[in-house]
Amino acid sequence: MTDTPPMTCGLVAVLGAPNAGKSTLVNALVGQKVAIVSQKAQTTRARLMGIALEQSETHNTQIILADTPGLFEPKRRLDRAMVAAAWEGAQEADAILLVVDAAKKHRDYLEPILEQMKGRAERKILVLNKVDLIAKEPLLVLAQELTGKVDFAEVFFVSAQTQDGVAELKKRLAELMPQGAWHFPEDQVSDASERLMACEITREQLYKQLHDELPYDSTVRPESYKTRKDGSVEIHQQIVIARESQKPIVLGRRGARIKAIGEAARNELKEILGVPVHLFIHVKVDEKWADAKEIYEEIGLEWVR
């Protein structure tokens, strides 16, 4: 009988510019959805922990993945809080993954991120994502260019979407994690509360269905979350938008759009929670929602002036 390998557990910070595919990669490493994914930039607002396991004859590892907001030039208070949360997620990590969209041709946006990473003591790993969309030769040139600017310990070529290279990356991360007890139960895949996860699922549907019509100035807030006597869950949420003119867009003709958003979110929540879900959504207009302190508290961001 083979001895069970010792328990190892560590923190990996997943950094990168908006739309690099960080959340898709975290979901792929965990093996199920823990972070919402959208083509809209800056979808991830709070730092969310995804919890991946690597268990084999050689590994008994829990990898805590900090899926951080994208790194970009902050303009509003919410932007500043998001970027601060991203760098905070990297502190004392056992490894930092810098996820780069390899298919993107213009990469000037990477310079400030690379500059910030240069002086960091944590082990830095470069993950070139979306390799299924680019030829091998320019990919190798890009890897050489970026490793020339920052002392990355290793480079991985992956496609989070197709899962190509993800298993190899996960195995390597497991090898890097220090010995120690697991921080979370074996069956837990995220540190997000069900209440927050429910809001994130609705927000994902909002972006998915209204990507071109609704600007970034929107959020989903929890009002109540309770379990009924029959075991089903009753959830009340508000979609908060910045302008009155956006309300008809979210509602749709005769309420068809908000109904479709609610239905899609409810079906996904039912699958995740494993119980029937009663979801009630309404729309609220608040021009200054992005400056409201309670919104920061709800998603675990520090309110910055």
Side-chain angles (χ1 to χ4, degrees), residues 10-278:
L11 174 67
V12 176
V14 185
L15 299 179
N19 273 349
K22 298 180 301 298
S23 295
T24 306
L25 180 61
V26 167
N27 289 341
L29 288 165
V30 172
Q32 70 182 75
K33 184 173 181 171
V34 294
I36 70 168
V37 176
S38 166
Q39 291 179 333
K40 193 179 279 290
Q42 296 130 45
T43 303
T44 303
R45 284 186 176 154
R47 193 183 72 195
L48 180 138
M49 302 286 192
I51 303 155
L53 299 181
E54 179 70 14
Q55 292 175 295
S56 64
E57 288 183 7
T58 52
H59 296 105
N60 189 23
T61 306
Q62 185 174 77
I63 306 164
I64 302 165
L65 300 150
D67 179 24
T68 62
L71 298 167
F72 59 101
E73 194 62 44
K75 293 182 175 66
R76 308 172 302 164
R77 177 181 278 130
L78 180 61
D79 296 342
R80 292 197 297 276
M82 286 161 60
V83 171
W87 285 116
E88 188 187 310
Q91 286 177 8
E92 296 178 11
D94 296 291
I96 295 177
L97 301 187
L98 177 64
V99 184
V100 173
D101 180 349
K104 223 172 193 174
K105 287 181 180 160
H106 302 291
R107 302 192 187 90
D108 296 348
Y109 66 92
L110 279 174
E111 290 306 321
I113 299 172
L114 295 169
E115 200 57 42
Q116 284 257 44
M117 291 196 80
K118 278 180 186 176
R120 300 195 69 95
E122 300 89 351
R123 186 183 188 90
K124 298 178 279 287
I125 296 172
L126 176 63
V127 178
L128 295 179
N129 189 24
K130 307 184 186 180
V131 296
D132 52 318
L133 304 177
I134 186 170
K136 190 176 179 181
E137 197 175 316
L139 201 55
L140 295 173
V141 171
L142 173 61
Q144 197 170 6
E145 180 192 324
L146 296 179
T147 50
K149 293 180 178 181
V150 175
D151 58 335
F152 290 108
E154 294 164 85
V155 181
F156 283 84
F157 302 90
V158 309
S159 169
Q161 194 69 48
T162 66
Q163 305 269 323
D164 190 32
V166 172
E168 291 81 357
L169 172 61
K170 187 177 178 182
K171 190 177 177 185
R172 180 59 183 142
L173 291 175
E175 289 169 359
L176 296 172
M177 296 302 101
Q179 200 164 320
W182 290 0
H183 290 212
F184 295 94
E186 187 172 349
D187 59 351
Q188 190 170 335
V189 295
S190 168
D191 71 333
S193 68
E194 290 176 350
R195 183 184 171 102
L196 176 61
M197 177 61 84
C199 284
E200 290 291 273
I201 295 296
T202 304
R203 190 161 67 93
E204 180 180 42
Q205 286 302 324
L206 185 69
Y207 289 165
K208 204 173 269 186
Q209 299 198 32
L210 296 171
H211 182 257
D212 295 324
E213 300 167 76
L214 191 70
Y216 179 61
D217 291 343
S218 59
T219 195
V220 178
R221 296 190 64 189
E223 289 185 332
S224 65
Y225 186 109
K226 64 180 182 182
T227 304
R228 291 182 176 181
K229 286 181 181 177
D230 62 1
S232 64
V233 175
E234 182 179 319
I235 304 168
H236 291 256
Q237 298 172 340
Q238 58 179 227
I239 293 173
V240 186
I241 51 178
R243 290 186 289 280
E244 191 69 41
S245 61
Q246 295 166 351
K247 203 169 184 178
I249 298 170
V250 178
L251 292 173
R253 193 175 178 188
R254 295 180 182 173
R257 179 59 66 190
I258 196 169
K259 187 179 177 185
I261 290 166
E263 194 173 325
R266 183 169 57 251
N267 288 338
E268 187 164 347
L269 283 166
K270 182 183 174 184
E271 198 176 315
I272 291 170
L273 299 172
V275 295
V277 173
H278 311 277

